[in-house]
């Protein structure tokens, strides 16, 4: 049974006031009891700071954040007198400790948490702030995956490693390298950055050839084993993405393994400049470890604000401890202050409420019910993303992806006792030797010609750009696959020698390897059973799948193969040619009749006789009926009929049947009527080798088509393919390639008939029969023509015309005698128009008729 407790009125008022006080204290709001009934205006707002204090970045951030808090609280131009109270939480480089510290901060009802610098801890804490709707503003967590929609309350005032990795890819491309080895710490920070690096390299047809990951707590012996394995790799371009507190161990071990000598390339992310900038003075031993290293550092413009802050820093702490993350930490506080001012002016709610999902578990010492949700968290988050002001690190403004605008980096080269800037990289213009902000007012230009960096001193004091790779010294020889052919074994075939193979292609490869500036241990492997020629497409595919390293043989470079492997410079020209038996044809004056059979010629003659008769009838009829013979139309009709007969569908006159063969000579000897072939179509090198053994019984006809070549196939992006191409060009220039060709592929004169004029040409004797027919036809036409002319002339009789003229002119007739017929008169008669002659003949006929009918 229970009792009802009666509480006096005064006591109830005291309890209410205590309750109100308990609400004010967690908010960090200092209230007067007498002001409870009035509108509560905060006097103090709690701000959390959560990061590892005892670290390179943490030490710089601590002083910068405290300085920013002091500047905000002393400024009359912001927050209208409201003070920011800073509550520190030390994560101690531990995700577990960081989570506990975050929960303790949340019990203090902070409205914003600044930090952490660790990406791994940021991942853990982001789940806490998501639940409690408290914005988390980081100045040092650079893992690109933190920008995902999974963490809406996370934003950062530094640049994501997304941009830094693209800057590294541009460095790799700028110097012409194709592969890199990634050395990174195996945590969220390391994995997130290297993942972006791999994606960015793939877009440039480059890749990470090996990922060397190590745990944050690994000692020197484990790092030594890791770098020994790395040194066996082919690539000599190393990207080091680690933490500034432990990163120097990598270079210390690399120095002991002679991996800082000539030929090596080391690219460090911003952790290295952060470490060097934080040291008041760097010892010579440390600098000797880093000679020739190329590194990236967050770029911040040299503004007056930045210069004043650095001067103030040096006045308080000297040059020790300062790095670019101090600027980002300082700007984080001011970002929060500007956002809070806008938030309050817009009527933002600084209240908290309990979440029913956060209940204490039975028997648990975790007081989850003490955690409360920030009611104005979403509004404040949106306000933070809208801010736009100029801070110590430059412009503080976020794009839709929550990234700061204008990401940029200094490109540094460690030389002597310090670093020298060799240029800048920005997301806007990529490489330049002028500050990025000077280019923002100009159109973006990322073309190759616009990219510029100063010269670099590489490891080993080398000034020439390292090749970036060597043949791997891992005890594994280059796996070379050779097709085990059945025919044309002069190109490549199995052999009983220790090498195991022999042939023209093998000698070319060995000669090219001998020209390389490094040793290439290699071994040959046969592909195929030796009973039939293997599939070359399958052979090339196995190279692309890393079953073999390279393929050597009579491998034609064709489009579908170039999509999966890289070919060298062609060492043998190739193309399809046609070979036919050599036939000596004697000249025949009736050769022009061969295209048609006798029956065809008979049909053709009958056809033209029929057409001629039709044309004559039509012309005669038209002449009499229409007085205007349309000869042009008749000629067009005849020509159309002729052209249709002789020229239409001429592409269908050949009935080709293709067959495969194993013995080309036997196939040609049999011919198509006995199961053989009339011609062979094959690649030129095979045909040349075939013709050299046939004693000029066969020949190449027609031009060479489908030009191509043979090359060695390597895996995609293999740097060895480039060096081998250079070696093949050297063999061609110094004549060694031709010597190898002559050794294996001796040929006779018969094999050099491509594009030459056929010896059995058509001559005058081949067509004198046709010329004879044409001559007879022309003579007959002339005879018929002159016969018609003389017949008309005799009917015309010029003496009759003169008698008519004498009647008209009697005075002149007495002086004119009968003229004899002359050649000139005939020519004049021929020159007369046909119509005029017909008119004269008509009048003559009419006169004769009149004379016949006259009674006198």
């Amino acid at each position: 049974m229970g009792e009802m407790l009666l509480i006096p009125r005064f006591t109830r008022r005291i309890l209410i006031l205590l309750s109100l006080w308990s609400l004010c204290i967690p908010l960090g709001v200092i209230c007067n009891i007498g002001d409870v009934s009035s509108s509560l205006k905060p006097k103090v707002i709690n701000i959390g700071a959560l990061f590892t204090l005892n670290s390179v970045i943490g030490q710089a951030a601590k002083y910068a954040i405290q300085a920013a808090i002091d500047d905000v609280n002393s400024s009359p131009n912001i927050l209208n007198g409201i003070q920011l109270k800073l509550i520190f939480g030390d994560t101690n480089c531990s995700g577990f400790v960081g989570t506990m510290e975050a929960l303790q901060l949340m019990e203090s009802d902070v409205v914003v948490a600044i930090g952490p610098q660790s990406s791994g801890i940021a991942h853990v804490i982001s789940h806490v702030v998501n639940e409690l709707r408290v914005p988390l503003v980081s100045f040092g967590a650079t893992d690109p995956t933190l920008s995902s929609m999974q963490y809406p309350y996370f934003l950062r005032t530094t640049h994501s490693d997304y941009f830094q990795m693209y800057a590294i890819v541009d460095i790799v491309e700028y110097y012409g390298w194709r592969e890199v080895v990634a050395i990174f710490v195996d945590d969220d920070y390391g994995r997130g950055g290297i993942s972006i690096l791999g994606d960015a390299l793939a877009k440039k047809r480059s890749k990470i050839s090996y990922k060397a990951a190590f745990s944050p707590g690994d000692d020197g012996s484990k790092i030594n084993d890791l770098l020994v394995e790395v040194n066996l790799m082919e690539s000599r371009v190393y990207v080091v993405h680690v933490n500034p507190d432990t990163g120097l161990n990598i270079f210390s071990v690399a120095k002991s393994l002679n991996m800082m000598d000539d030929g090596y390339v080391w690219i460090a992310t911003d952790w290295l400049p952060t470490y060097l900038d934080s040291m008041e003075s760097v010892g010579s031993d440390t600098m000797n470890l880093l000679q020739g290293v190329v590194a990236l550092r967050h770029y911040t413009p040299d503004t007056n604000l930045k210069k004043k802050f650095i001067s103030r820093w040096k006045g308080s702490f000297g040059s020790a401890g300062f790095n670019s993350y101090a600027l980002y930490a300082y700007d984080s506080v001011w970002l929060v202050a500007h956002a809070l001012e806008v938030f309050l002016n817009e009527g933002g709610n600084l209240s908290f409420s309990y979440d029913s999902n956060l209940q204490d578990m039975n028997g648990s010492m975790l007081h989850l019910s003490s955690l409360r949700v920030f009611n104005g968290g979403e509004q404040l988050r949106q306000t933070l993303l809208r801010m736009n002001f100029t801070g110590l690190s430059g412009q503080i403004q976020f794009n839709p992806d929550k990234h700061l605008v204008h990401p940029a980096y200094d490109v540094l080269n460690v030389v002597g006792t310090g670093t020298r800037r060799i240029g800048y990289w920005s997301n806007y213009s990529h490489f330049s030797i002028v500050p990025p902000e000077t280019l923002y007012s100009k159109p973006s230009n990322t073309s190759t010609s616009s990219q510029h960096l100063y010269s670099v001193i590489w490891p080993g004091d080398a000034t020439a750009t390292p090749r970036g790779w060597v043949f791997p010294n891992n005890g594994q020889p280059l796996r070379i696959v050779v097709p085990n052919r059945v025919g044309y074994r002069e190109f490549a075939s199995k052999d009983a020698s220790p090498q195991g193979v022999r042939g023209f292609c093998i000698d070319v490869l060995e000669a090219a390897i001998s020209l390389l500036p490094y040793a290439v241990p290699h071994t040959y492997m046969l592909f195929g059973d030796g009973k039939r020629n293997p599939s070359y497409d399958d052979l090339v595919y196995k190279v692309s799948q890393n079953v073999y390293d390279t393929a050597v043989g009579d491998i034609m470079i064709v489009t579908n193969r170039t999509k999966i492997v890289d070919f060298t410079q062609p060492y043998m020209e190739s193309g399809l040619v046609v070979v036919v038996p050599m036939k000596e044809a004697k000249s025949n004056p009736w050769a022009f009749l061969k295209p048609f059979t006798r029956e065809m010629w008979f049909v053709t003659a009958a056809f033209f006789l029929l057409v001629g008769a039709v044309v004559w009838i039509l012309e005669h009829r038209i002449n009499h009926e229409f007085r205007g013979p349309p000869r042009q139309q008749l000629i067009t009709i005849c020509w159309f009929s002729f052209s249709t007969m002789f020229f239409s569908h001429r592409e269908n006159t050949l009935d080709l049947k293709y067959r495969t063969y194993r013995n080309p000579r036997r196939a040609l000897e049999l011919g198509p009527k006995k199961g053989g072939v009339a011609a062979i179509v094959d690649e030129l090198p095979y045909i040349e080798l075939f013709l050299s053994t046939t004693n000029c019984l066969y020949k190449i006809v027609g031009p060479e088509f489908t030009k191509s070549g043979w090359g060695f196939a390597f895996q995609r992006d293999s740097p060895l393919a480039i060096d081998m191409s250079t070696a093949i060009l050297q063999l061609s220039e110094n004549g060694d390639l031709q010597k190898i060709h002559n050794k294996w592929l001796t040929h006779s004169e018969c094999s050099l008939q491509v594009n030459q004029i056929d010896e059995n040409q058509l001559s005058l004797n081949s067509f004198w029969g046709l010329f004879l027919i044409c001559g007879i036809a022309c003579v007959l036409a002339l005879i018929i023509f002159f016969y018609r002319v003389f017949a008309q002339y005799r009917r015309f009789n010029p003496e009759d015309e003169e008698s008519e003229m004498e009647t008209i002119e009697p005075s002149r007739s007495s002086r004119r005698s009968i003229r004899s017929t002359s050649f000139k008169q005939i020519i004049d008669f021929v020159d007369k128009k046909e119509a005029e002659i017909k008119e004269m003949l008509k009048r003559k006929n009419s006169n004769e008729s009149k004379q016949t009918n006259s009674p006198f």
Side-chain angles (χ1 to χ4, degrees):
M1 311 273 308
E3 293 182 3
M4 180 177 291
L5 298 178
L6 299 177
I7 302 175
R9 180 180 298 178
F10 175 77
T11 305
R12 292 200 302 269
R13 293 188 66 181
I14 293 297
L15 290 176
I16 293 173
L17 290 174
L18 289 175
S19 299
L20 291 174
W21 178 260
S22 66
L23 288 176
C24 294
I25 294 302
L27 276 170
V29 179
I30 301 176
C31 306
N32 293 324
I33 296 178
D35 294 334
V36 171
S37 60
S38 63
S39 176
L40 296 178
K41 181 179 180 182
K43 298 296 180 64
V44 174
I45 301 177
N46 286 348
I47 302 296
L50 194 64
F51 52 89
T52 301
L53 299 178
N54 187 22
S55 63
V56 172
I57 296 177
Q59 290 176 356
K62 177 182 178 182
Y63 299 127
I65 290 175
Q66 189 60 63
I69 291 291
D70 294 340
D71 291 345
V72 170
N73 289 338
S74 62
S75 175
N77 300 321
I78 192 168
L79 287 177
N80 297 321
I82 298 175
Q83 299 291 296
L84 299 181
K85 182 181 177 180
L86 184 64
I87 303 175
F88 274 111
D90 189 357
T91 61
N92 198 25
C93 293
S94 170
F96 177 76
V97 174
T99 303
M100 295 299 102
E101 290 291 333
L103 293 174
Q104 290 184 9
L105 280 180
M106 296 303 113
E107 288 181 349
S108 301
D109 289 345
V110 295
V111 297
V112 173
I114 297 176
Q117 84 268 29
S118 168
S119 295
I121 298 176
H123 276 277
V124 177
I125 297 176
S126 292
H127 293 288
V128 176
V129 299
N130 283 353
E131 186 68 26
L132 301 179
R133 302 176 191 170
V134 176
L136 181 63
V137 180
S138 176
F139 54 84
T142 57
D143 177 16
T145 61
L146 287 168
S147 297
S148 66
M149 292 184 290
Q150 182 182 5
Y151 308 111
Y153 282 88
F154 175 88
L155 64 155
R156 51 186 150 211
T157 54
T158 185
H159 295 296
S160 167
D161 282 337
Y162 175 91
F163 302 103
Q164 183 170 210
M165 294 305 158
Y166 272 85
I168 291 176
V169 170
D170 284 343
I171 292 176
V172 172
E173 183 184 33
Y174 183 85
Y175 291 107
W177 303 314
R178 302 294 294 275
E179 296 183 5
V180 303
V181 172
I183 304 173
F184 62 99
V185 60
D186 194 8
D187 59 9
D188 291 317
Y189 159 75
R191 289 189 300 269
I194 296 305
S195 176
I196 295 297
L197 177 64
D199 293 342
L201 285 169
K203 294 179 180 179
K204 302 288 187 178
R205 285 198 61 186
S206 300
K207 66 179 181 179
I208 299 176
S209 60
Y210 185 72
K211 293 182 179 180
F214 64 94
S215 299
D218 284 350
D219 56 17
S221 62
K222 292 185 177 179
I223 294 177
N224 183 84
D225 295 341
L226 181 70
L227 292 186
V228 168
E229 187 175 2
V230 164
N231 201 30
L232 297 177
M233 299 295 107
E234 184 177 87
S235 176
R236 284 292 184 264
V237 181
Y238 305 135
V239 176
V240 184
H241 187 51
V242 297
N243 296 315
D245 301 281
T246 59
L248 282 183
N249 294 337
I250 299 291
F251 290 101
S252 178
V253 174
K255 184 73 172 180
S256 66
L257 296 175
N258 298 320
M259 296 175 66
M260 300 300 296
D261 294 340
D262 186 12
Y264 289 86
V265 177
W266 292 86
I267 303 174
T269 54
D270 69 289
W271 68 267
L272 181 58
T274 297
Y275 174 83
L276 297 178
D277 292 343
S278 301
M279 300 295 104
E280 186 170 3
S281 63
V282 183
S284 58
D285 292 340
T286 300
M287 296 307 299
N288 288 336
L289 298 176
L290 304 172
Q291 294 299 303
V293 175
V294 173
L296 296 175
R297 178 177 63 195
H298 290 283
Y299 171 75
T300 54
D302 291 327
T303 60
N304 291 331
L305 285 175
K306 175 183 172 182
K307 292 177 181 178
K308 289 180 181 179
F309 181 78
I310 293 176
S311 177
R312 175 182 169 188
W313 183 286
K314 290 181 178 179
S316 301
F317 312 107
S319 59
F322 178 82
N323 55 58
S324 59
Y325 287 99
L327 304 178
Y328 295 127
Y330 184 92
D331 288 343
S332 298
V333 175
W334 277 93
L335 171 65
V336 171
H338 284 295
L340 282 173
E341 182 176 45
V342 174
F343 174 80
L344 293 173
N345 291 337
E346 294 178 349
N349 184 7
L350 284 176
S351 65
F352 291 78
S353 61
Y354 290 102
D355 188 352
S356 60
N357 295 323
L358 300 175
Q359 300 293 333
D360 293 335
M361 300 178 63
N362 294 333
S364 175
M365 298 299 293
L366 297 175
H367 301 291
L368 296 179
S369 60
S370 62
L371 300 176
R372 299 193 296 175
V373 176
F374 178 28
N375 296 326
E378 176 60 23
Q379 182 181 352
L380 181 58
R381 184 184 76 89
Q382 295 292 343
T383 305
L384 286 166
L385 293 173
R386 298 198 330 257
M387 291 298 97
N388 185 2
F389 67 97
T390 301
L392 299 183
S393 60
Q395 185 177 1
I396 306 299
Q397 182 183 1
F398 297 97
N399 65 17
D401 295 324
K402 298 194 302 183
H403 294 307
L404 284 178
V405 297
H406 302 317
Y409 295 87
D410 294 318
V411 185
L412 306 177
N413 183 207
V414 181
V415 180
T417 59
T419 60
R420 55 185 284 264
R421 184 190 289 122
I422 61 173
Y424 305 89
W425 182 92
S426 70
N427 192 45
Y428 186 76
S429 58
H430 294 189
F431 292 126
S432 66
I433 55 177
V434 296
E437 65 269 17
T438 62
L439 302 175
Y440 294 150
S441 60
K442 302 177 182 178
S444 176
N445 185 3
T446 58
S447 63
T448 303
S449 60
S450 67
Q451 306 300 295
H452 301 289
L453 290 174
Y454 290 118
S455 60
V456 176
I457 304 298
W458 303 101
D461 292 330
T463 56
T465 301
R467 185 172 65 243
W469 76 280
V470 296
F471 191 80
N473 187 24
N474 55 11
Q476 297 181 359
L478 190 71
R479 300 165 298 176
I480 303 176
V481 61
V482 179
N484 192 8
R485 288 192 57 91
V486 177
Y488 299 121
R489 299 172 62 85
E490 290 84 353
F491 295 109
S493 63
K494 183 179 179 180
D495 189 52
S497 65
Q499 185 171 265
V501 291
R502 64 191 293 270
F504 167 74
C505 302
I506 307 302
D507 283 3
V508 173
L509 177 73
E510 293 290 341
I513 290 177
S514 67
L515 295 178
L516 298 179
Y518 46 87
V520 181
H522 55 279
T523 182
Y524 292 99
M525 303 176 180
L526 289 172
F527 183 76
D529 56 10
K531 298 179 180 179
R532 61 177 61 86
N533 291 333
S535 169
Y536 282 28
D537 287 338
D538 292 345
L539 183 147
V540 171
Y541 177 75
K542 289 185 178 296
V543 172
S544 69
Q545 297 300 305
N546 198 27
V547 177
Y548 307 107
D549 296 314
T550 182
V552 173
D554 47 337
I555 304 173
M556 181 177 286
I557 303 173
V558 294
T559 303
N560 64 322
R561 295 173 184 170
T562 59
K563 295 178 180 178
I564 58 175
V565 297
D566 285 346
F567 281 95
T568 61
Q569 172 80 15
Y571 61 88
M572 168 74 85
E573 292 185 358
S574 181
L576 296 179
V577 294
V578 179
V579 173
V580 298
M582 183 80 74
K583 293 182 179 179
E584 185 176 353
K586 297 181 180 179
S587 179
N588 186 346
W590 308 106
F592 69 94
L593 297 176
K594 290 184 178 181
F596 285 175
T597 62
R598 295 179 181 178
E599 293 81 2
M600 187 64 188
W601 279 115
F602 176 78
V603 172
T604 304
F607 171 79
F608 279 105
L609 287 174
L610 177 62
V611 171
V614 171
V615 169
W616 182 85
I617 294 171
L618 290 175
E619 183 179 15
H620 179 75
R621 188 174 184 85
I622 291 172
N623 285 342
H624 283 76
E625 294 184 5
F626 301 102
R627 305 295 182 180
R631 291 184 176 85
Q632 187 63 36
Q633 290 88 333
L634 296 175
I635 293 174
T636 301
I637 294 173
C638 296
W639 173 248
F640 179 78
S641 302
F642 175 79
S643 62
T644 301
M645 176 180 293
F646 280 88
F647 300 111
S648 65
H649 309 293
R650 52 185 174 180
E651 67 273 14
N652 295 326
T653 57
L654 292 179
D655 182 14
L656 298 180
K657 295 182 181 180
Y658 298 97
R659 301 175 181 174
T660 58
Y661 60 89
R662 297 187 64 178
N663 188 334
R665 184 166 185 171
R666 178 62 177 167
L668 287 172
E669 287 175 351
L670 290 175
K673 295 182 179 180
K674 298 181 180 181
V677 295
I680 291 178
V681 180
D682 210 336
E683 296 179 42
L684 179 61
Y686 301 141
I687 296 303
E688 286 187 337
L689 186 60
F690 167 71
L691 293 179
S692 66
T693 63
T694 59
N695 195 24
C696 298
L697 295 177
Y698 307 96
K699 64 177 179 178
I700 297 174
V701 296
E704 180 182 1
F705 51 98
T706 65
K707 290 276 188 178
S708 184
W710 292 355
F712 303 138
F714 287 84
Q715 295 179 15
R716 289 297 295 268
D717 304 321
S718 171
L720 188 58
I722 300 175
D723 288 356
M724 288 293 290
S725 294
T726 303
I728 291 172
L729 289 175
Q730 293 178 0
L731 290 175
S732 178
E733 292 171 356
N734 61 25
D736 289 344
L737 187 61
Q738 186 61 43
K739 293 178 182 178
I740 299 173
H741 184 279
N742 295 339
K743 171 186 174 182
W744 290 96
L745 309 175
T746 55
H747 54 267
S748 63
E749 294 297 328
C750 300
S751 63
L752 298 178
Q753 300 180 26
V754 178
N755 292 329
Q756 293 182 359
I757 300 176
D758 195 347
E759 293 179 356
N760 295 323
Q761 294 177 325
L762 294 175
S763 63
L764 179 62
N765 293 332
S766 303
F767 288 95
W768 72 260
L770 179 62
F771 294 146
L772 176 63
I773 293 175
C774 293
I776 293 174
C778 292
V779 170
L780 290 176
L782 287 174
I783 292 173
I784 293 172
F785 172 75
F786 282 113
Y787 172 79
R788 291 187 61 190
V789 168
F790 277 109
Q792 290 180 345
Y793 180 75
R794 293 187 62 182
R795 291 180 59 193
F796 173 65
N797 193 1
E799 294 180 358
D800 295 338
E801 181 181 9
E802 290 178 0
S803 63
E804 293 178 3
M805 295 177 62
E806 288 176 358
T807 305
I808 298 172
E809 300 179 16
S811 59
R812 297 172 56 187
S813 61
S814 60
R815 297 190 300 269
R816 181 176 299 176
S817 60
I818 299 174
R819 298 178 182 177
S820 61
T821 302
S822 66
F823 181 76
K824 181 177 181 301
Q825 290 175 329
I826 297 175
I827 294 300
D828 291 340
F829 177 78
V830 172
D831 289 341
K832 293 180 181 293
K833 294 182 179 179
E834 185 178 357
E836 184 179 351
I837 294 175
K838 289 182 177 181
E839 183 65 25
M840 291 179 179
L841 291 175
K842 183 177 180 181
R843 282 187 292 158
K844 180 179 179 181
N845 293 335
S846 175
N847 293 334
E848 290 177 351
S849 299
K850 291 179 180 180
Q851 291 177 2
T852 304
N853 298 328
S854 175
F856 302 100

